[in-house]
């Protein structure tokens, strides 16, 4: 994270990322949360939205044990106060660096055919407020569009008070149609690149979007030897800039 000061304006650069961790099951079909943590440390973002962060069956326990995350990284999961053993809500979780001040969080019920949800967290990073929405949308195109419409409305309401970033696995294979049309009516989509499948990326399923008060300076797909094995998705990232005018 970097800050550049001018006479009247503070330019704050924040790194955000989104990562479908596939319940910590890698391309070798082994569950290894330590590899996921290694990838998180490689990304070194201020805020990371996770998808498939909880196991699928039973108590839906977190795919990454809390103690392991605490001991091996500088990240902590936003407490969503929903399920005791889970990290997220319907698999969605948000991680932040331990230095980030969390101001609030919420879970969102969205239209769904299969269990789906979205989450939001409100932070302050070096004095700059920011709201992040994390999501994992449906496999059905019809339900994706319904979910996108619901999330856009919630994000626009939040945008009146604070800059907004939206991140997640949209499950949208088209380049500019489907739910992407709904999101682009209100938010800008960052060109990160192809993230699925991690062994041979052919699809841009994982997306980062933001409000007009934010601009992205750089973005990409985190493609490392560990990331290719840790999950079937590669993480996507963006360095975003929020300009704030200083007092005279």
């Amino acid at each position: 994270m970097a800050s550049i000061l001018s006479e009247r304006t503070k330019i704050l650069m924040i790194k955000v990322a989104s990562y479908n961790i596939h319940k910590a099951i890698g391309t070798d079909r082994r569950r290894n949360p330590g590899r996921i943590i290694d990838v998180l440390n490689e990304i070194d973002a201020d805020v990371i939205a996770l998808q498939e962060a909880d196991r699928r069956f039973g108590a839906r326990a977190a795919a990454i044990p809390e103690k392991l995350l605490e001991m091996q990284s500088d990240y902590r999961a936003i407490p969503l106060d929903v399920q005791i053993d889970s990290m997220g809500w319907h698999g969605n979780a948000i991680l932040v660096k331990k230095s980030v001040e969390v101001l609030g969080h919420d879970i969102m019920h969205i239209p769904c055919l299969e269990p789906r949800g979205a989450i939001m967290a409100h932070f302050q990073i070096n004095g700059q407020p920011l709201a992040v929405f994390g999501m994992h949308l449906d496999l059905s195109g019809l339900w994706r569009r319904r979910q996108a419409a619901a999330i856009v409305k919630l994000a626009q309401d939040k945008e009146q008070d604070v800059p907004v970033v939206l991140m997640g696995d949209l499950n949208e294979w088209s380049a500019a149609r489907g739910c992407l049309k709904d999101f682009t009516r209100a938010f800008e989509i960052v060109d990160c690149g192809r993230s699925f499948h991690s062994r041979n990326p052919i699809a841009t399923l994982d997306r980062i979007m933001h409000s007009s008060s934010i601009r992205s300076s750089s973005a990409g797909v985190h493609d490392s030897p560990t990331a290719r094995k840790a999950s079937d998705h590669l993480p996507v990232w963006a360095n975003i800039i929020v300009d704030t005018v200083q007092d005279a």
Side-chain angles (χ1 to χ4, degrees):
M1 180 169 58
S3 300
I4 305 172
L5 297 178
S6 64
E7 289 183 6
R8 291 289 309 281
T9 304
K10 179 181 180 181
I11 301 176
L12 177 64
M13 185 178 295
I14 300 170
K15 188 173 185 180
V16 298
S18 181
Y19 190 15
N20 184 329
I21 66 171
H22 194 49
K23 308 171 194 68
I25 299 173
T27 52
D28 58 1
R29 300 185 181 179
R30 294 174 51 209
R31 187 186 303 278
N32 189 335
R35 285 190 301 204
I36 297 295
I37 294 176
D38 288 342
V39 176
L40 298 177
N41 289 332
E42 289 174 358
I43 301 168
D44 193 30
D46 299 290
V47 182
I48 304 179
L50 298 183
Q51 301 85 49
E52 298 193 31
D54 298 320
R55 299 191 187 191
R56 186 173 183 179
F57 300 109
R60 298 276 294 177
I64 305 174
E66 182 180 0
K67 285 294 183 184
L68 190 66
L69 183 68
E70 180 182 349
M71 292 172 58
Q72 297 187 9
S73 80
D74 190 33
Y75 290 101
R76 60 190 172 102
I78 300 298
L80 298 174
D81 305 327
V82 183
Q83 294 171 285
I84 296 174
D85 296 326
S86 299
M87 176 181 286
W89 164 248
H90 290 306
N92 293 291
I94 295 178
L95 304 182
V96 294
K97 288 288 185 70
K98 293 174 183 176
S99 59
V100 173
E101 181 183 0
V102 180
L103 302 177
H105 53 78
D106 199 5
I107 61 170
M108 288 161 279
H109 298 271
I110 57 176
C112 61
L113 179 62
E114 53 185 332
R116 297 284 176 177
I119 59 176
M120 184 279 299
H122 182 190
F123 320 102
Q124 189 157 277
I125 305 176
N126 276 12
Q128 172 62 52
L130 180 71
V132 169
F133 286 72
M135 69 196 80
H136 189 185
L137 301 190
D138 207 285
L139 295 173
S140 160
L142 174 63
W143 285 97
R144 278 199 303 273
R145 296 205 65 176
R146 292 173 177 173
Q147 291 163 356
I151 293 169
V152 164
K153 184 179 185 305
L154 293 166
Q156 285 182 309
D157 290 343
K158 191 67 177 177
E159 188 183 20
Q160 296 178 23
D161 302 317
V162 62
V164 168
V165 172
L166 304 96
M167 301 190 285
D169 178 358
L170 304 191
N171 267 320
E172 182 60 69
W173 286 73
S174 66
R177 300 189 302 275
C179 70
L180 294 179
K181 292 179 64 176
D182 303 295
F183 283 113
T184 54
R185 290 190 184 102
F187 298 97
E188 298 180 30
I189 298 181
V190 180
D191 184 12
C192 294
R194 297 174 180 176
S195 56
F196 181 84
H197 186 279
S198 58
R199 285 186 169 176
N200 181 28
I202 60 171
T204 311
L205 300 186
D206 303 279
R207 298 281 186 168
I208 297 175
M209 303 165 281
H210 59 77
S211 55
S212 59
S213 58
I214 293 173
R215 53 195 170 97
S216 61
S217 64
S218 56
V221 174
H222 181 80
D223 188 356
S224 72
T226 304
R228 291 183 208 125
K229 293 180 180 178
S231 171
D232 59 349
H233 286 246
L234 294 171
V236 296
W237 60 270
N239 285 316
I240 61 169
I241 295 172
V242 184
D243 295 341
T244 56
V245 178
Q246 303 296 292
D247 295 334

